């Protein structure tokens, strides 16, 4: 059965930096090909990608991941009925979340008022773990509270949610209208596994294509007033670890899974497209989500120590492939670490591009998976010239538009195949 898989391969130079550090403050590394490489965890780059969505998508299409879910929902309840506020709104929010997800939402013990303390308002309740809900799901839960609480009565809401249909409605509210980030990166609800969302995106840890060493920057800070009293020396001293690398980054999007995850998130209960006013077909929202992911993933950067190093670089090369069978990473091209360019020029980028350009055709020919028509190459500078043979050369805006249209066509064809099979 044909699938629609989007593979994204990136080569990016990163100067001295500490994008993603371990518990000792040292940049993360990995042993690969027998040598130590720079590494940036997939979690760090997914977080950066999610933050980039805020500039690319309306807030209504994004989720909120927080333990302070009662506070988030309580604000929405108050917005719908101004007479329900503060602790009462939080208690109602906690009750409907418990009914919808099975998760307890309570005031943390560290924040609970102890006997004899003043009568200041108690802290809002929190969930025991991060909860990931779309803004549309939160709005739906707020509407259920307004409907079932008779003006903010907790007992009335509890009785309302004891009815089977009402509790089912609360659960359905958090299992439809998934936001783009939930659909892409998935969600786990520990107390209700049936509410889990399988991630449509896999993101590899970015690794350096060459050997990397950890260096340390010893620094001092001068006391500006020392000159007034004759004192000399630093007001403080410290050290920060860093490295630099040419990174290979990879991500794969299962477009079919993404389309399923979005599902009712963009359609009503009868399957009608909620955004159909503009004439969009049923596959368009998933295609838009893919476009947003591609733009965000390519251009985002984890922010670890960003003020210290200002390492605001963009990728030198992006190769995108639309596959019909399975995702394929090209990391094996760099199992043997790249060495600096010859003739005393140094640099890793050109050698990395040459290595990748030589590796990909052989791999795809041997496995019979080459499809040049569904490969796009965006590159900057002469050092990346070897990659031009891998596919269709495009600018970055062209890359986004062509991928979006290709995904639309692929999903439309899949829908037609399903309709034909059902006929």
């Amino acid at each position: 059965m044909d699938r629609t898989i989007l593979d994204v391969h990136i080569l990016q130079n990163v100067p001295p930096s500490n994008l993603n550090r371990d518990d000792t403050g040292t940049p993360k590394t990995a042993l690969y090909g027998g040598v130590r490489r720079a590494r940036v965890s997939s979690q760090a780059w997914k977080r950066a990608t999610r933050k980039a969505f805020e500039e690319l998508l309306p807030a209504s299409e994004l989720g909120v991941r927080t333990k302070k879910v009662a506070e988030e929902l309580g604000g929405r309840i108050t917005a719908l009925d101004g007479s329900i506020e503060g602790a009462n709104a939080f208690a109602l929010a906690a009750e409907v979340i418990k009914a919808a997800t099975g998760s307890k939402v309570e005031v943390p013990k560290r924040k609970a008022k102890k006997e004899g303390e003043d009568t200041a308002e108690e802290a809002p309740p929190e969930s025991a773990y991060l909860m990931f809900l779309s803004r549309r799901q939160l709005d739906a839960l707020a509407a259920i509270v307004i409907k079932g609480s008779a003006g903010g009565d907790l007992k009335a809401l509890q009785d309302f949610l004891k009815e089977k249909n009402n509790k089912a409605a609360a659960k359905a509210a958090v299992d439809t209208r998934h936001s783009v980030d939930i659909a892409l990166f998935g969600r786990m609800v520990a107390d209700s596994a049936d509410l889990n969302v399988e991630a449509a995106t896999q993101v590899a840890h970015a690794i350096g294509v060459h050997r990397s060493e950890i260096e340390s920057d010893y620094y001092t800070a001068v006391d500006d007033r020392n000159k007034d009293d004759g004192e000399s020396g630093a007001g403080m001293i410290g050290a920060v670890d860093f490295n630099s690398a040419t990174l290979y980054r990879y991500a794969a999007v299962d477009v079919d899974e993404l389309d399923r995850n979005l599902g009712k998130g963009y359609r009503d209960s009868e399957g009608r497209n909620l955004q159909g006013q503009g004439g969009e077909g049923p596959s368009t929202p998933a295609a838009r989500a893919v476009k947003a992911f591609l733009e965000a993933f390519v251009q985002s950067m984890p922010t670890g120590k960003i003020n210290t190093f200002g390492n605001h670089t963009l990728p030198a090369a992006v190769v995108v492939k639309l596959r019909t069978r399975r995702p394929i990473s090209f990391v094996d091209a760099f199992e043997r670490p790249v060495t600096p360019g010859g003739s005393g020029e140094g640099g890793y980028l050109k050698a990395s591009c040459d290595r990748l350009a030589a590796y990909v055709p052989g791999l795809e020919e041997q496995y019979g998976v080459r499809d040049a028509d569904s490969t796009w190459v965006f590159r900057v500078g002469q050092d990346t010239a070897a990659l031009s043979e891998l596919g269709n050369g495009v600018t970055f805006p062209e890359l986004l538009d062509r991928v979006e249209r290709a995904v639309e066509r692929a999903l439309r064809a899949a829908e037609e195949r399903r309709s034909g099979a059902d006929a």
Side-chain angles (χ1 to χ4, degrees), residues 229-252:
D229 52 22
E231 290 188 18
S232 61
M236 67 161 289
I237 59 174
V240 58
D241 291 340
F242 66 92
N243 60 7
S244 61
T246 298
L247 297 175
Y248 170 73
R249 298 168 51 199
Y250 170 73

Side-chain angles (χ1 to χ4, degrees), residues 120-139:
E121 187 172 292
E122 192 168 57
E126 298 179 9
S127 57
Y129 49 86
L130 291 171
M131 300 199 73
F132 200 0
L133 297 171
S134 76
R135 286 172 169 82
R136 289 171 176 164
Q137 290 167 347
L138 289 165
D139 289 341

Side-chain angles (χ1 to χ4, degrees), residues 12 20 29 73 88 136 149 171 197 201 234 300 313 347 353 374:
Q12 181 168 357
N20 182 212
T29 62
L73 179 54
N88 187 29
R136 289 171 176 164
S149 67
K171 194 162 188 173
V197 178
T201 303
S300 62
T313 63
C353 293
S374 296

Side-chain angles (χ1 to χ4, degrees), residues 179-292:
S179 57
V180 169
D181 43 3
I182 291 175
L184 281 165
F185 299 123
R187 177 182 74 187
M188 185 183 77
V189 181
D191 297 297
S192 295
D194 55 329
L195 296 178
N196 292 348
V197 178
E198 186 72 21
T201 303
Q202 298 173 349
V203 178
H205 289 234
I207 65 168
V209 301
H210 53 84
R211 182 194 301 269
S212 288
E213 303 294 338
I214 301 293
E215 299 181 71
S216 185
D217 176 36
Y218 171 84
Y219 64 88
T220 64
V222 177
D223 189 323
D224 291 343
R225 293 186 59 85
N226 275 356
K227 62 183 180 181
D228 297 334
D229 52 22
E231 290 188 18
S232 61
M236 67 161 289
I237 59 174
V240 58
D241 291 340
F242 66 92
N243 60 7
S244 61
T246 298
L247 297 175
Y248 170 73
R249 298 168 51 199
Y250 170 73
V253 181
D254 185 333
V255 178
D256 306 300
E257 185 71 30
L258 175 62
D259 193 43
R260 287 190 291 270
N261 285 351
L262 288 172
K264 295 178 182 178
Y266 287 94
R267 304 183 182 99
D268 64 18
S269 60
E270 297 179 6
R272 292 190 297 265
N273 189 343
L274 292 176
Q275 298 182 355
Q277 298 91 336
E280 296 176 320
S283 64
T284 304
R288 273 186 38 241
V290 168
K291 179 181 180 180

